[in-house]
Amino acid sequence: MILGGAMRAPGSEDAVVIEKGKKAGEPHVITVNCPDRTGLGCDICRIVLDFGLYIKKGDVTTDGVWCYIVLWVVPHYDSLILRWSHDLKTQLLSVCPSCPTYFLLNLMSPSPTPTSVYLLNFFCLDRTGLLHDVTQVLTELELSIQSVKVTTTPDERVLDLFFITDNLDLLHTKKRQDETLVQFRSVLGESCISCELKLAGPEYEYHQKIPSLSPEVAEELFMMSEQLTDEEDNRAQALSDDMIKMKKNSSVTVDNSLSPSHTLLQIRCADHRGLLYDVLRTLKDFNVKISYGRFLPRTQGHRDIERFVQVKDEKKILDPDKQSSLCLRLKAEMLHPLRVIITNRGPDTELVVANPVELSGKGRPRVFYDVTLSLKVLGICVFSAEIRRYTAGNREWEVYRFLLDENCLFQLGSASVRNEIANQVRRTLMGW
């Protein structure tokens, strides 16, 4: 049985169909009709999130061989430049198995060649919001940030190193390189002293090594999930009002009584940008396969998600330990998919943001974009910034570290001011 229409020819362009809304404000409809595989929904939602789109509702159906996914989406950012017909469709097609033999071919084929990493470095005069303006250009050019090293000199100049990959895989061409440099020189303006783009060398591996986090910072940053899932934890009083509200209105339940071959997962929680991605990312990491599911429209700020799922060998989730582990992880990711704290780094004030990395090695999209946007709106300059990977609690994390410039409107030494800044950054990341 083929769900959602006739089976498409292998490699067919109509595996992904994007229908734009007919009126302003009307959702656009993305339909994916292709062979199924575990984690396909997660990969699709990650691309949708990376394009700055918000999923209003969604449906997924599969018979284990063929998958049919429909998402109703709207732009999340008012100023977002939508790269619709070709770019979004191309990215979605890239994660769709082209035919049923996809699985066999993947087992037989050698490991794919790693995507080339390029180094974009520039030297210019500093100004408020510069880091975000540069990040916005990267986003519009579909260049993904892999690592960053930002340094401010005493004479208010900045040396920025961006290690990037090209979603279009065209950065090896002179035309694409010239286009990128023109865009960057344009946003830097007369403040640009030098700007260079080249293939990254050994310095990329060197910059992957993150400076050690202090044990106190690491505990606060990576133990937040346990704090949020333990109802008796006395640290809950330290949570922001947003987090307390989310915690009180969130639930994950497992029901094995409604289907002879599937487990029903019922999730209710406060809405946030990337929620469906966070749920599907967790299911993918647990190797849980979705057979049918609905992502219902938001009601009074909350979302209801229903998923009929199976584990390997098309079985229910019957093991109580696995049920408990999955529910705890889902609730932690719903409540706190991103960790945000402000702490001291020597005499300086440091903003630290962390998000878990998928087992596939992919990080969360647009984090650097949202953090720099929030700091720009607050009028806070960044003295230095870094993106690195960090391992804690048997999980890999993407860690963003920003040393904040003390010359701003805020008294950064004040605990209440730090909480205000952290909450503002968190709200921007969550799309509130």
Side-chain angles (χ1 to χ4, degrees), residues 200-336:
E203 65 269 27
Y204 176 60
E205 294 300 326
Y206 171 78
H207 283 284
Q208 286 292 89
K209 299 176 182 178
I210 186 171
S212 297
L213 294 170
S214 70
E216 296 79 15
V217 171
E219 180 179 8
E220 183 177 1
L221 195 63
F222 300 124
M223 295 302 171
M224 282 185 175
S225 59
E226 295 181 8
Q227 169 186 336
L228 288 168
T229 54
D230 186 356
E231 295 292 343
E232 302 300 324
D233 195 327
N234 57 17
R235 287 181 294 174
Q237 60 185 351
L239 298 178
S240 67
D241 291 341
D242 290 328
M243 293 295 106
I244 293 173
K245 181 179 179 181
M246 289 180 69
K247 185 172 181 177
K248 288 181 177 179
N249 295 281
S250 298
S251 64
V252 181
T253 58
V254 176
D255 190 339
N256 279 310
S257 65
L258 296 179
S259 169
S261 56
H262 296 83
T263 295
L264 172 62
L265 287 176
Q266 293 178 303
I267 300 169
R268 178 172 174 79
C269 64
D271 191 22
H272 68 257
R273 183 167 70 248
L275 171 60
L276 187 56
Y277 166 71
D278 290 322
V279 170
L280 297 184
R281 167 175 57 83
T282 303
L283 296 180
K284 179 182 178 182
D285 285 352
F286 273 75
N287 202 26
V288 173
K289 191 171 184 178
I290 300 170
S291 296
Y292 171 77
R294 293 185 300 172
F295 185 56
L296 300 176
R298 181 169 61 181
T299 303
Q300 296 181 341
H302 284 80
R303 288 280 196 165
D304 289 294
I305 304 173
E306 297 177 350
R307 291 285 184 267
F308 282 92
V309 301
Q310 294 177 323
V311 289
K312 62 180 180 180
D313 299 327
E314 298 186 351
K315 294 180 180 179
K316 294 183 178 184
I317 306 175
L318 298 174
D319 183 351
D321 291 338
K322 184 159 188 176
Q323 289 182 13
S324 176
S325 177
L326 177 60
C327 289
L328 285 175
R329 177 66 65 82
L330 279 170
K331 194 167 185 180
E333 300 303 335
M334 290 185 320
L335 294 174
H336 214 10

